[in-house]
Amino acid sequence: MSLTPTLNFRIDENYLIAHTLSSTNKKRFSSNKHKKDIVSFQNFAWSISKQKYLNLIKEYKPIEIKKPKDLSKKAQTFLALLKLSKQYKKILLQTQKYLLLCKSQWNKNLNHSSFLVRELTGIKMIRRFDVYISHPSLKNGMNLNGKILWGHNEDWTNYTTVYLWHEILHSYLSIPKNDRWNHAIIQLIADNELRIKLNGGAYPPFYGHKELFPLMRKILPLWKKYLKSQNKNILDFKHSYLQIL
């Protein structure tokens, strides 16, 4: 029996277009490497029809994967037209190359990173996930009931590996009632402990969403004690710190 999760890396072109067209704010860029090409595609789509552009973003939403049959005829026609453009073909090619990078890095680190996460959590994470890749120069990272949406510049070594584990952990630890607490512990596991086990270094300073750092600082003394324990169980740890804090 495999002790590793199975990730199916794929590109949904309709989602890729919707996510790219919705990412116009400068804060949505993870790097400027392909910014010129992204803006060119956005401008091209806007020049065809401002209303169709806005309707597509409103209808599709960049946080879900939709089947073609669930899109309006107008949206399908607009998407088909965009796919024929030279501007889009650049975006697609860059994303296809990025998918290969993500897949290669994940597979290279799979056995070792799976062992580390299993050691840190006490959980055998063996589920299957579809990973929908978006453009690497745009920020994306979300777990939608087992469907992972992912795209980001490779800011440091093994960045993709660490943050794919971050998203996988949401399938095992996230409970809406205590979402901020769960997210804080996920950041301690993946963004920080797994990162330094793969790359070296130390924390704090923390990596991850800054708004969670105060919670992480509260948890840190108990977390350090937990890391020294034998037979770790992250669910028991989570229950214990929620009782104390």
Side-chain angles (χ1 to χ4, degrees):
M1 180 179 177
S2 173
L3 294 177
T4 64
T6 300
L7 269 56
N8 177 30
F9 292 88
R10 58 193 301 182
I11 294 172
D12 181 295
E13 291 195 43
N14 291 343
Y15 174 74
L16 173 61
I17 290 173
H19 183 266
T20 303
L21 295 185
S22 71
S23 302
T24 54
N25 190 301
K26 64 180 181 180
K27 292 182 180 179
R28 296 303 306 152
F29 283 81
S30 63
S31 82
N32 292 321
K33 184 176 180 181
H34 299 295
K35 186 174 184 178
K36 183 177 179 180
D37 293 333
I38 291 170
V39 173
S40 176
F41 175 54
Q42 292 169 341
N43 289 340
F44 171 74
W46 188 262
S47 71
I48 294 175
S49 172
K50 297 177 184 178
Q51 195 59 52
K52 289 179 180 178
Y53 188 121
L54 295 173
N55 286 344
L56 176 64
I57 299 308
K58 183 179 180 180
E59 180 180 342
Y60 201 102
K61 299 179 183 178
I63 59 168
E64 54 184 314
I65 303 294
K66 285 194 171 184
K67 296 179 180 179
K69 66 180 180 63
D70 295 326
L71 293 167
S72 68
K73 291 293 184 182
K74 288 183 178 179
Q76 291 184 52
T77 301
F78 188 47
L79 286 164
L81 181 60
L82 292 174
K83 289 174 187 176
L84 295 174
S85 69
K86 63 181 181 181
Q87 291 88 348
Y88 168 67
K89 288 177 181 177
K90 281 188 178 181
I91 300 300
L92 178 59
L93 179 60
Q94 291 159 3
T95 307
Q96 288 171 333
K97 289 181 178 179
Y98 177 58
L99 182 150
L100 294 177
L101 181 151
C102 292
K103 186 175 182 179
S104 175
Q105 184 189 120
W106 176 258
N107 288 335
K108 180 187 71 173
N109 291 329
L110 179 57
N111 289 333
H112 183 49
S113 64
S114 295
F115 170 79
L116 293 173
V117 173
R118 189 164 65 251
E119 187 180 56
L120 287 169
T121 63
I123 299 173
K124 295 177 182 178
M125 299 190 185
I126 57 175
R127 296 182 190 175
R128 181 181 181 86
F129 298 88
D130 286 324
V131 181
Y132 291 88
I133 298 295
S134 54
H135 196 282
S137 292
L138 296 173
K139 297 176 182 178
N140 200 8
M142 193 173 297
N143 184 328
L144 300 176
N145 299 317
K147 293 179 180 178
I148 294 174
L149 312 180
W150 176 250
H152 202 284
N153 183 60
E154 192 75 4
D155 285 351
W156 28 264
T157 304
N158 296 316
Y159 188 95
T160 293
T161 298
V162 167
Y163 282 102
L164 286 176
W165 273 112
H166 178 118
E167 298 306 330
I168 289 169
L169 284 161
H170 275 293
S171 285
Y172 291 86
L173 295 179
S174 287
I175 302 172
K177 183 179 177 182
N178 294 312
D179 187 60
R180 291 179 73 248
W181 291 99
N182 284 294
H183 207 166
I185 193 62
I186 286 170
Q187 288 197 168
L188 284 171
I189 296 168
D191 307 31
N192 293 278
E193 190 66 25
L194 177 61
R195 172 179 56 83
I196 69 165
K197 285 185 179 297
L198 291 175
N199 295 346
Y203 64 91
F206 294 122
Y207 280 56
H209 295 287
K210 293 181 180 179
E211 65 271 19
L212 294 173
F213 289 179
L215 285 179
M216 293 165 71
R217 281 192 286 270
K218 282 186 176 182
I219 299 169
L220 189 59
L222 293 173
W223 174 247
K224 288 182 176 179
K225 184 178 179 181
Y226 170 78
L227 290 176
K228 295 177 181 178
S229 65
Q230 301 294 322
N231 301 317
K232 297 179 183 65
N233 185 311
I234 198 65
L235 299 178
D236 288 346
F237 170 73
K238 184 177 70 172
H239 178 74
S240 67
Y241 80 67
L242 286 174
Q243 294 295 316
I244 296 171
L245 296 175

